[in-house]
């Protein structure tokens, strides 16, 4: 059997793509073919190094390995003939004696870690970028400086020595000594360029406060080998290439297809080709749970990547000739669902796609789209039975409220029930909507008796028994009006769809899906969770969700055990390493998250140990006198970025729709083409995209401008009028989440602008 590992540095351009693909296909068909000229290299540091003929001018550099079952080639790259010979003479594969991880050592491009220990790389580029951004500020206020962590102190506090980390994790002592000599943990990544990726991540994690066990778990690093290893060197090397940590540097292809090989050749960016996952993420992709599973963590830590990879694994896990499993991959909005489908296609263009929800294969769609498909396909009898179970009365019609109808129906219910003497905060449509969703729908309540007996965990404003009776009268009148008109809020529609599925299962028709995977789970409401629980039978790998409680920008928080979904213990894993956002932007975004945050298991969610391996300029706040000057400043900044940067995508994010309209018009008048869009695919191909902060969920940009960051807009005061203190606190927390989401969309540079006093929710602003 012929298999490959491809090193991450492989990069083939132009006409070489087809030639290299032909070479790899021939190598797989017959490695002994004379036309390939697979030849050992004289004076090579590794006797397994080879070159192979791509054409008269170019040769591939590779290693040839063999064990009892595998004929394995490690592809390093394609070079001009003489360069290929030199490369092959100076590269080697090494197996870490402590943890068994294979790495590539290339003396043609790397200095040793020991040499780098005395010369940490300068931070000149990031300082220049910060200076350029600052030049645009008429007046500015920078975030409160983040305390610089001294690695030597952190390591000393935890007892981490070079000898200990070598013995426990297999980290090169010279790499540890390099870190101990740095003035800030921010310099680790650049100072260890020649170290294997897993080693850099391990040291960054340790400097962030992770324990040795935490690092082992995140990177899939085994404890030190205790038994003598009698395998051949080739067998050890092949086994080491398969380890999760090694696959941060190599992609292991077991009997690769031509399509997989083509992706390797045609994609310049290795991480993009793989839809990159690190070892901690891979563990979640491959894990099998007795029930439900969960991944949680901050923005940019790869939760969505895990969900997409896992969905692909589950949907393709079937024998040839049999029927693919029925898999649902869903998320909160249509735009996010489109982004998931794009990622799924990038990962595997041949994934089995379902014709409709519930047929073999994977169906990808927004959660509300799926529920409405169930509603529309249901019979009148099914709808009447389901609405009676949800609302206590049957109705043959189910339509969605228009924009303002939810509030209007609550106002009418208050008047019709004659309960207008309730305290103002309890009469508020927002409070009543939340009570209906979080208590009535979440607990399947249809009578006053049930309502008076049920607990109200998570509901801030308390209700005594007389108040509960009055609130029930309002809710009952609301449900009657909804049933009479056949119009409902989305949570009720999802609950109705769940009862349709439950009735079908009770009648022997089974459940709709075998596996359900959910992205952005923190935004799902009670009706969604009732629906998802009804979609799949409780059992192995039934529901897998990705959430970040700090990104909850819609609805209420829920504890999923109330819906028969539990991910406690080993079925839940936290990701903490950010791959998208620079450390400076990440720290600023995290600074918005004050207060207590509760996750889907009802436990406090911490931001401790969140970290980034990337560096960049500090976020900057620009203050202007008028909105017109603010827009002019943004236009000037955009032109500067366009003139000095390549391959940029700029996101202009605003709190409200009207503000996005004004900024698009202003930029157009200034000669800048800016596209207003909420579509991730459209934004991916535009230089300047304008959208609301809500619409930016799930997207990323190289540069982000948060416009209108004044206290007059954030938070929106009118939305808080009449709310009780608990509901105001929750609304403010959602506003902080929104700012966190918006700030963490930036990959490289983050700029904030305002022409009024800055919002008190921003880090560094006095409260």
């Amino acid at each position: 059997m012929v298999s490959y590992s491809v090193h991450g540095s492989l990069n083939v351009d132009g006409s070489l793509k087809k030639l290299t693909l032909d070479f790899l296909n021939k190598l797989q068909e017959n490695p002994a073919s004379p036309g390939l000229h697979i030849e050992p290299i004289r004076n090579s540091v590794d006797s397994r190094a080879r070159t192979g003929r791509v054409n008269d001018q170019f040769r591939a550099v590779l290693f040839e390995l063999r064990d009892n079952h595998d004929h394995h080639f490690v592809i390093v790259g394609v070079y001009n003939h003489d360069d290929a010979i030199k490369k092959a003479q100076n590269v080697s594969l090494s197996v870490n004696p402590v943890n068994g991880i294979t790495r590539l050592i290339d003396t043609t491009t790397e200095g040793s870690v020991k040499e780098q220990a005395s010369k940490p790389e300068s931070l000149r580029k990031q300082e220049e970028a910060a200076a350029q951004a600052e030049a645009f500020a008429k007046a500015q206020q920078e975030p409160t400086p983040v305390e610089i962590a001294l690695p030597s102190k952190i390591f000393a506090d935890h007892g981490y020595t070079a000898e200990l980390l070598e013995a426990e994790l297999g980290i090169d002592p010279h790499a540890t000594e390099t870190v101990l000599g740095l003035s800030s943990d921010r310099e680790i990544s650049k100072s260890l360029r020649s170290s294997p990726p897993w080693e850099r991540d391990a040291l960054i994690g340790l400097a962030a406060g992770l324990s040795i066990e935490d690092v082992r778990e995140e990177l899939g690093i085994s404890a030190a080998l205790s038994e003598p290893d009698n395998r051949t060197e080739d067998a050890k090397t092949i086994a080491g290439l398969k380890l999760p940590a090694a696959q941060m540097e190599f992609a292991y292809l077991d009997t690769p297809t031509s399509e997989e090989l083509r992706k390797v050749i045609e994609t310049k960016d290795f991480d993009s080709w793989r839809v990159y996952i690190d070892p901690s993420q891979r563990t979640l992709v491959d894990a099998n749970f007795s029930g439900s599973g969960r991944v949680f963590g901050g923005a940019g830590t790869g939760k969505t990547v895990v969900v997409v990879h896992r969905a692909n694994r589950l949907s393709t896990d079937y024998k040839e000739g049999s029927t693919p499993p029925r898999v649902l991959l869903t998320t909160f909005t249509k735009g996010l669902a489109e982004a998931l489908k794009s990622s799924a296609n990038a990962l595997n263009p041949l994934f089995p796609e379902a014709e409709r929800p519930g047929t073999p294969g994977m169906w990808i769609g927004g959660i509300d789209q799926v529920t409405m498909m169930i509603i529309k396909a249901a019979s009148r009898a099914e709808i009447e039975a389901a609405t009676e179970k949800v609302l206590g009365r049957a109705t043959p019609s189910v339509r969605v409220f228009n924009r303002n109808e939810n509030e209007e129906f609550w106002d009418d219910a208050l008047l019709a029930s004659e309960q207008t003497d309730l305290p103002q905060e309890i009469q508020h449509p927002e409070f009543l909507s939340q009570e209906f969703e979080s208590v009535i729908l979440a607990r399947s309540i249809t009578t006053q008796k049930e309502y008076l007996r049920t607990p109200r965990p998570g509901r801030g404003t308390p209700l005594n028994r007389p108040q509960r009776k009055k609130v029930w009268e309002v809710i009952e009148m609301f449900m009657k009006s909804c049933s009479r008109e056949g119009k409902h809020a989305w949570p009720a529609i999802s609950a109705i769809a769940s009862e349709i599925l439950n009735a079908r299962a009770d009648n022997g028709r089974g459940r709709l899906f075998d596996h359900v995977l959910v992205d952005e789970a923190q935004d799902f409401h009670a009706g969604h969770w009732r629906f998802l629980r009804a979609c799949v039978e409780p059992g192995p790998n039934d529901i897998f969700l990705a959430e970040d409680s700090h990104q909850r920008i819609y609805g209420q928080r829920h504890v999923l055990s109330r819906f028969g979904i539990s991910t406690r213990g080993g079925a839940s894993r936290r990701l903490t390493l950010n791959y998208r956002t620079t450390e400076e932007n990440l720290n600023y975004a995290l600074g918005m998250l004050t207060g207590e945050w509760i996750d889907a298991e009802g436990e406090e969610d911490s931001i401790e140990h969140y970290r980034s391996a990337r560096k960049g300029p500090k976020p900057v706040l620009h203050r202007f006198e008028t909105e017109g000057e603010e827009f002019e400043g943004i236009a000037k900044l955009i032109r500067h970025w366009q003139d000095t940067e390549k391959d940029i995508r700029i996101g202009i994010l605003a709190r409200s729709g009207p503000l996005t309209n004004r900024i698009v018009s202003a930029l157009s008048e200034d000669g800048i083409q800016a596209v207003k869009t909420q579509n991730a695919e459209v934004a991916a191909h535009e230089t300047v995209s304008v959208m609301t902060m809500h619409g930016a969920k799930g997207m990323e940009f190289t540069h982000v401008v948060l416009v209108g960051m004044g206290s007059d807009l954030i938070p929106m005061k009118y939305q808080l009028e009449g709310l009780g203190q608990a509901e105001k606190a929750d609304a403010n927390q959602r506003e902080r989440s929104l700012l966190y989401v918006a700030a963490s969309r930036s990959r490289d540079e983050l700029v904030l602008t305002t022409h009024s006093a800055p919002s008190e929710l921003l880090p560094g602003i006095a409260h």
Side-chain angles (χ1 to χ4, degrees), residues 101-103 113 192-201 249:
I101 299 169
T102 298
R103 69 164 293 196
V113 176
L192 298 179
R193 283 185 306 166
S194 68
S195 295
W198 71 264
E199 192 170 74
R200 289 197 301 269
D201 277 12
E249 187 174 0

Side-chain angles (χ1 to χ4, degrees), residues 294 296 549-550 574 595-607:
R294 176 177 71 128
F296 65 109
S549 64
H550 304 104
R574 181 171 175 240
E596 183 182 66
W597 303 78
I598 305 299
D599 66 16
E601 289 297 342
E603 298 175 350
E604 186 172 357
D605 192 356
S606 169
I607 60 174

Side-chain angles (χ1 to χ4, degrees), residues 306-613:
V306 168
V307 169
V308 172
H309 271 266
R310 187 171 174 84
N312 180 68
R313 178 180 82 83
L314 292 172
S315 65
T316 56
D317 187 16
Y318 64 98
K319 295 180 180 179
E320 188 175 349
S322 61
T323 302
R326 301 163 303 157
V327 176
L328 171 64
L329 175 57
T330 189
T331 187
F332 189 73
T333 67
K334 181 180 178 182
L336 290 172
E338 290 170 348
L340 285 179
K341 192 164 189 176
S342 176
S343 295
N345 279 313
L347 174 63
N348 179 12
L350 302 178
F351 78 81
E353 187 171 4
E355 293 182 8
R356 62 183 182 278
T359 58
M362 178 160 58
W363 178 266
I364 305 175
I367 183 66
D368 290 334
Q369 176 194 16
V370 179
T371 57
M372 281 307 296
M373 292 177 76
I374 300 302
I375 295 286
K376 289 180 178 179
S379 68
R380 175 171 177 152
E382 285 181 315
I383 290 175
E384 288 181 341
T387 51
E388 185 164 9
K389 292 207 72 170
V390 173
L391 304 169
R393 50 197 53 80
T395 178
S397 173
V398 175
R399 292 170 291 157
V400 184
F401 279 149
N402 295 331
R403 179 179 297 271
N404 298 317
E405 284 184 325
N406 184 58
E407 185 171 340
E408 292 171 359
F409 270 54
W410 282 115
D411 287 340
D412 291 344
L414 270 166
L415 291 173
S417 62
E418 299 181 349
Q419 301 299 336
T420 53
D421 60 335
L422 283 165
Q424 188 63 39
E425 64 268 21
I426 296 177
Q427 291 188 41
H428 199 288
E430 181 68 14
F431 172 86
L432 293 168
S433 291
Q434 291 178 8
E435 189 77 1
F436 178 60
E437 181 222 321
S438 298
V439 181
I440 305 302
L441 291 179
R443 297 182 177 271
S444 303
I445 293 171
T446 58
T447 68
Q448 184 190 73
K449 184 178 180 180
E450 293 171 320
Y451 179 58
L452 294 177
R453 287 181 174 179
T454 194
R456 300 172 62 249
R459 298 292 291 131
T461 298
L463 296 176
N464 58 36
R465 187 174 180 82
Q467 286 175 332
R468 275 216 200 190
K469 288 183 176 181
K470 292 181 178 182
V471 168
W472 173 256
E473 295 298 325
V474 180
I475 290 175
E476 186 175 41
M477 188 61 66
F478 174 81
M479 292 192 295
K480 285 181 179 179
S481 299
C482 290
S483 297
R484 182 177 63 251
E485 300 296 329
K487 288 189 172 184
H488 308 276
W490 276 113
I493 287 176
S494 299
I496 292 166
S498 75
E499 292 305 328
I500 292 172
L501 297 183
N502 285 333
R504 291 175 182 176
D506 291 343
N507 291 329
R509 295 173 60 180
R511 297 294 179 180
L512 199 62
F513 294 101
D514 300 306
H515 309 287
V516 168
L517 298 101
V518 183
D519 195 25
E520 304 291 353
Q522 72 279 346
D523 284 325
F524 279 36
H525 54 59
H528 288 148
W529 292 117
R530 282 181 65 171
F531 176 76
L532 292 173
R533 181 67 281 174
C535 278
V536 58
E537 194 70 27
N541 298 325
D542 55 355
I543 296 174
F544 185 85
L545 59 102
E547 72 150 349
D548 179 5
S549 64
H550 304 104
Q551 293 191 62
R552 179 174 63 88
I553 60 177
Y554 302 99
Q556 308 306 298
R557 64 191 186 199
H558 293 285
V559 177
L560 298 190
S561 57
R562 296 173 193 152
F563 303 95
I565 303 169
S566 177
T567 60
R568 290 183 178 274
S572 186
R573 181 141 188 184
R574 181 171 175 240
L575 302 177
T576 57
L577 182 57
N578 185 297
Y579 288 97
R580 176 177 66 223
T581 308
T582 64
E583 179 183 287
E584 291 77 6
N585 292 346
L586 175 64
N587 286 336
Y588 186 68
L590 292 173
M592 297 167 177
L593 302 177
T594 62
E596 183 182 66
W597 303 78
I598 305 299
D599 66 16
E601 289 297 342
E603 298 175 350
E604 186 172 357
D605 192 356
S606 169
I607 60 174
E608 187 181 14
H609 302 319
Y610 283 159
R611 63 205 189 278
S612 172

